[in-house]
């Protein structure tokens, strides 16, 4: 049973550690939990100033029963254990059983769709928030989109999300997990399947060199804006700012389509895990704001108007850690703006989240260009 109001599940990972770090800065007591207590203790113990944090370190099995026991007494769970399509349902079930809000950092569109379908109604009836995908690569772009939508009459969103760095081991595993799923954009409020081999040369705000972007699994944005009366269509491109890395991503995706997806389905997981292991570089170094930059760009359009919103930032994993920690703190003090399945902006407000990122020096003010 938790004696703290927030549980960070997967605290031994790169992002889990950052969530714990920002919970300490926000003075929120927390439980750092994972499947290996020694590993969790080793990682959390190296957080600067951790001795001033009110926290516990706990080992827990990944079962609904064990997680339910742990979450009892907690109000919010920040889940970083992926791939989420594989490990997320048990965590969501345990949150529902104990009356805890559920947040995670997923980039898996299939899990977001599944979570909404399986758990959205039950969470709403319980007055609990179910918010998968609170993370830089989704929420910061969603903030930019909502800034654009402050102008009425714009109904189409063209979203570009790029960052400079290399994915963590967990992010790499997630990237290869979503290769098994179908990916969707939104067209006239209907999901439209995206070609997994699609790629685009994109104009990156703030630089002369063209970037290379891919569908990135479809992302969370088409799901969040589905049934939003302001929006009819959403397309998303994403990736990292290192073009050679993106060229390797494109080549690997093509190889998966030709060499893995032609195998019997039961062999896919093993083959994809092998490829992910070859890509993984372990725990990346702590982000350097001079080097690890991010760009979230949204072109919004309608019949008689256009608006371009760009948010330049840094340290995308720190953005994720802060967004998770602040969301947890907020939920301890007041209900979300929307219960049940909701995005970060729907649950907390896009201007509020933008202010939090600005407060900690992780993004600039949005650059807004409008033509009407």
């Amino acid at each position: 049973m938790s004696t703290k109001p927030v549980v960070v599940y997967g605290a031994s990972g790169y992002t889990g550690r950052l969530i714990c770090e920002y919970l300490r800065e926000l003075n929120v007591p927390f439980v750092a939990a994972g499947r290996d207590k020694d590993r969790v203790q080793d990682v959390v113990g190296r957080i600067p100033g951790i001795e001033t944090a009110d926290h516990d370190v706990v080992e827990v099995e990944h079962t609904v029963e064990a997680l339910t026991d742990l979450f009892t007494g907690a109000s919010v769970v920040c889940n970083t254990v992926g791939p989420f399509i594989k490990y997320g349902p048990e965590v969501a079930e345990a949150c529902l059983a104990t009356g805890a809000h559920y947040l995670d950092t997923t980039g898996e569109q299939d899990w977001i769709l599944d979570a909404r379908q399986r758990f959205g109604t039950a969470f709403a009836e319980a007055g609990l928030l179910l918010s998968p995908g609170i993370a830089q690569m989704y929420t910061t772009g969603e903030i930019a989109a909502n800034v654009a939508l402050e102008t009425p009459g714009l109904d189409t969103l063209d979203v570009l999300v790029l960052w400079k760095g290399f994915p963590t081991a967990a992010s790499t595993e997630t990237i290869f997990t979503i290769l098994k799923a179908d990916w969707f954009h939104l067209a006239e409020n209907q999901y439209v399947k995206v070609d997994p081999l699609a790629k685009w040369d994109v104009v990156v705000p703030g630089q002369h060199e063209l970037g290379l972007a891919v569908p990135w699994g479809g992302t969370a944005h088409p799901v969040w804006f589905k049934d939003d009366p302001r929006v009819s269509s959403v397309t998303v491109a994403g990736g990292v700012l290192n073009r050679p890395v993106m060229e390797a991503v494109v080549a690997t995706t093509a190889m998966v389509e030709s060499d893995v997806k032609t195998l019997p389905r039961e062999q896919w997981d093993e083959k994809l895990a092998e490829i992910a292991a070859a890509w993984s570089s372990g725990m990346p170094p702590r982000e350097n704001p001079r080097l690890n930059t991010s760009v979230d760009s949204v072109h919004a359009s309608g019949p008689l108007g256009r608006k371009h919103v760009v948010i330049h930032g840094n340290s995308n994993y720190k953005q994720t850690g802060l967004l998770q920690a602040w969301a947890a703190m907020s939920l301890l003090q007041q209900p979300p703006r929307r219960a049940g399945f909701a995005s970060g902006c729907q649950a907390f407000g896009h201007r509020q989240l933008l202010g939090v990122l600005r407060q900690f020096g992780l993004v600039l003010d949005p650059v807004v260009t409008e033509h009407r």
Side-chain angles (χ1 to χ4, degrees), residues 197-275:
L197 297 179
K199 60 178 181 177
W200 303 280
D201 288 306
V202 293
V203 177
V204 182
Q207 70 177 46
H208 293 115
E209 181 185 358
L210 293 176
L212 180 61
V214 297
W216 209 260
T219 81
H221 305 88
V223 184
W224 288 336
F225 287 105
K226 179 79 164 63
D227 302 321
D228 185 321
R230 302 171 299 172
V231 177
S232 64
S233 301
V234 181
T235 58
V236 188
V240 299
L241 285 161
N242 185 319
R243 190 178 179 100
V245 169
M246 290 307 300
E247 289 170 347
V249 168
V250 170
T252 303
T253 302
M255 183 267 289
V256 168
E257 290 291 315
S258 63
D259 297 351
V260 176
K261 286 192 173 182
T262 53
L263 297 172
R265 182 86 187 203
E266 61 271 14
Q267 297 181 25
W268 287 14
D269 286 346
E270 180 181 353
K271 294 296 183 182
L272 288 171
E274 291 176 2
I275 300 170

Side-chain angles (χ1 to χ4, degrees), residues 44 48 92 154 219 334:
V44 173
L154 306 179
T219 81
Q334 62 184 15

Side-chain angles (χ1 to χ4, degrees), residues 126-143:
L128 298 172
L129 176 63
L130 172 70
S131 192
I134 294 184
Q136 179 274 326
M137 205 163 186
Y138 313 100
T139 306
T140 309
E142 186 197 9
I143 292 170

Side-chain angles (χ1 to χ4, degrees), residues 143-152 154 157 298-300 307-309:
I143 292 170
N146 276 282
V147 170
L149 292 171
E150 290 174 351
T151 299
L154 306 179
L157 300 175
V298 177
H299 284 284
K307 193 172 181 180
H308 185 203
V309 179

Side-chain angles (χ1 to χ4, degrees), residues 31-248:
V31 172
R35 287 165 284 187
D36 184 332
K37 183 176 182 179
D38 290 340
R39 185 179 174 196
V40 175
Q41 182 62 66
D42 179 59
V43 170
V44 173
R46 285 182 280 160
I47 293 174
I50 192 62
E51 67 278 1
T52 66
D54 183 4
H55 74 291
D56 295 326
V57 175
V58 173
E59 182 172 295
V60 62
E61 293 182 3
H62 188 82
T63 65
V64 174
E65 294 75 19
L67 293 170
T68 299
D69 288 343
L70 173 60
F71 297 167
T72 300
S75 298
V76 185
V77 173
C78 299
N79 181 25
T80 69
V81 176
F84 294 88
I85 193 68
K86 183 176 181 180
Y87 296 115
E90 292 86 351
V91 185
E93 286 184 30
C95 285
L96 195 56
T98 57
H101 299 288
Y102 175 93
L103 313 174
D104 77 28
T105 58
T106 190
E108 302 162 43
Q109 190 184 74
D110 56 341
W111 162 239
I112 297 171
L113 289 164
D114 189 52
R116 180 179 191 176
Q117 191 272 326
R118 291 175 61 178
F119 301 108
T121 299
F123 269 77
E125 290 174 347
L128 298 172
L129 176 63
L130 172 70
S131 192
I134 294 184
Q136 179 274 326
M137 205 163 186
Y138 313 100
T139 306
T140 309
E142 186 197 9
I143 292 170
N146 276 282
V147 170
L149 292 171
E150 290 174 351
T151 299
L154 306 179
D155 60 10
T156 299
L157 300 175
D158 177 357
V159 182
L160 174 65
V161 180
L162 294 169
W163 53 282
K164 189 175 291 185
F166 201 82
T168 65
S171 295
T172 301
E173 189 173 356
T174 288
I175 290 167
F176 284 97
T177 296
I178 61 177
L179 291 176
K180 297 186 295 182
D182 291 332
W183 309 344
F184 301 96
H185 286 169
L186 197 65
E188 295 301 313
N189 205 39
Q190 299 296 319
Y191 290 125
V192 176
K193 189 175 177 181
V194 181
D195 181 0
L197 297 179
K199 60 178 181 177
W200 303 280
D201 288 306
V202 293
V203 177
V204 182
Q207 70 177 46
H208 293 115
E209 181 185 358
L210 293 176
L212 180 61
V214 297
W216 209 260
T219 81
H221 305 88
V223 184
W224 288 336
F225 287 105
K226 179 79 164 63
D227 302 321
D228 185 321
R230 302 171 299 172
V231 177
S232 64
S233 301
V234 181
T235 58
V236 188
V240 299
L241 285 161
N242 185 319
R243 190 178 179 100
V245 169
M246 290 307 300
E247 289 170 347

